[in-house]
């Protein structure tokens, strides 16, 4: 085009273009999914009571928004304690869309088939330190103890998973934060207080948006 005398500008709106395709670029450049951390916390900074009997912190509108997010991403992950105490299904219910691939961190394989995540209804990956196996819709992947989180996200990258929501609990979220393996954090803060309990993760990042979801405050951070 330049050879024919047409004026050409290169790099226009490059940042905006990358933002539209940030999942793809993260996979290609970092060989891992775009990682979204999500949690709900009380006004005094807790994600659960000490006895884990606090199932819901955010309101129903916030929870519906979370189901929309699930339908938009490739995979969703929780750790052992969340699976034990909440027994989640991690599917899309309050929205229309496909269920994400389910991922469970169960390092010592504490869970059995009585839990929803291990019933084989939806394809599920179980990352652990003990065994490699495959059953109906369930795949067990053994990782090293020392580089567990790093190996997990790289394995997801090899499977061409472009995006991952990490829904907790606190220990799992903190493991991703401490490893620096996150791109975005979506944090709901509700009006209720617990006084004591499991402390919410501390996040350091750029606050890119803040909105009210019918009383819940949603803050979105970007890892710089």
């Amino acid at each position: 085009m330049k050879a024919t005398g047409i004026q050409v500008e290169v790099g226009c709106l490059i940042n905006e273009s990358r933002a539209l395709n940030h999942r793809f670029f993260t996979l290609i450049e970092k060989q891992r999914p775009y990682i979204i951390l999500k949690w709900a916390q009380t006004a005094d900074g807790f994600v659960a009571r000490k006895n884990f009997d606090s199932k819901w912190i955010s309101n129903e509108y916030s929870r519906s928004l979370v189901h929309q997010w699930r339908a938009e991403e490739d995979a969703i992950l929780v750790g052992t304690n969340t699976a034990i105490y909440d027994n989640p299904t991690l599917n899309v219910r309050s929205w229309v869309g496909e269920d994400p691939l389910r991922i469970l961190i169960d390092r010592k394989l504490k869970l059995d088939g009585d839990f929803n995540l291990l019933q084989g209804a939806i394809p599920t990956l179980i990352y652990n330190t003990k065994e490699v196996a495959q059953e109906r819709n369930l795949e067990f992947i053994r990782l090293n103890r020392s580089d567990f989180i790093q190996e997990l996200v790289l394995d997801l990258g090899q499977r061409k998973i472009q995006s991952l929501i990490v829904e907790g609990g606190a220990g799992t979220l903190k493991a991703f934060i401490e490893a620096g393996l996150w791109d975005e954090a979506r944090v709901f803060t509700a009006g209720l207080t617990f006084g004591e309990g499991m402390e919410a993760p501390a996040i350091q990042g750029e606050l890119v948006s803040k909105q009210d979801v019918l009383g819940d405050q949603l803050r979105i951070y970007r890892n710089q």
Side-chain angles (χ1 to χ4, degrees):
M1 292 176 69
K2 289 181 177 180
T4 61
I6 298 174
Q7 182 179 352
V8 178
E9 294 186 16
V10 179
C12 299
L13 300 176
I14 186 171
N15 292 330
E16 291 82 355
S17 298
R18 288 185 62 86
L20 287 173
N21 296 285
H22 56 271
R23 293 165 178 80
F24 171 77
F25 283 117
T26 300
L27 178 64
I28 297 302
E29 296 172 354
K30 299 183 178 180
Q31 303 298 302
R32 65 161 176 82
Y34 184 85
I35 299 172
I36 302 165
L37 308 181
K38 170 265 164 184
W39 72 87
Q41 63 187 33
T42 63
D44 53 352
F46 298 103
V47 296
R49 298 187 190 276
K50 283 187 175 181
N51 61 1
F52 295 96
D53 70 352
S54 50
K55 187 171 184 180
W56 300 123
I57 292 177
S58 58
N59 63 45
E60 62 178 308
Y61 302 99
S62 296
R63 298 197 296 272
S64 179
L65 180 57
V66 169
H67 281 262
Q68 177 186 344
W69 295 343
R70 290 181 181 181
E72 294 170 347
E73 310 302 340
D74 287 347
I76 184 170
L77 179 150
V78 296
T80 307
N81 284 340
T82 297
I84 290 174
Y85 292 106
D86 292 349
N87 194 21
T89 55
L90 300 185
N91 58 3
V92 176
R93 300 185 301 279
S94 301
W95 201 258
V96 177
E98 293 187 8
D99 296 323
L101 173 69
R102 302 189 304 189
I103 299 170
L104 169 65
I105 293 178
D106 188 12
R107 298 181 190 233
K108 298 181 180 180
L109 294 179
K110 293 182 177 180
L111 275 69
D112 58 33
D114 291 334
F115 289 91
N116 289 328
L117 290 178
L118 297 183
Q119 291 181 356
I122 299 172
T124 305
L125 305 180
I126 302 96
Y127 288 96
N128 66 91
T129 60
K130 290 185 173 293
E131 70 176 38
V132 175
Q134 194 149 7
E135 303 173 10
R136 184 178 64 87
N137 269 346
L138 302 177
E139 183 176 355
F140 294 79
I141 303 105
R142 184 176 63 238
L143 302 177
N144 291 322
R145 298 174 187 271
S146 57
D147 299 315
F148 194 92
I149 299 297
Q150 180 72 35
E151 286 191 11
L152 187 155
V153 299
L154 291 177
D155 184 71
L156 292 178
Q158 291 176 358
R159 296 168 186 267
K160 306 303 180 185
I161 303 299
Q162 290 195 24
S163 59
L164 170 69
I165 300 178
V166 179
E167 286 207 5
T172 300
L173 289 161
K174 289 175 182 177
F176 277 83
I177 293 171
E178 289 171 0
L181 291 171
W182 68 281
D183 299 287
E184 186 179 322
R186 302 173 182 178
V187 183
F188 292 99
T189 302
L192 75 164
T193 60
F194 283 172
E196 60 178 7
M198 303 292 294
E199 291 186 357
I203 196 80
Q204 297 291 329
E206 177 191 3
L207 179 63
V208 295
S209 71
K210 177 180 176 181
Q211 68 182 92
D212 179 86
V213 185
L214 294 182
D216 291 343
Q217 299 302 310
L218 171 60
R219 293 177 174 84
I220 298 180
Y221 300 87
R222 183 181 297 119
N223 190 354
Q224 296 176 299

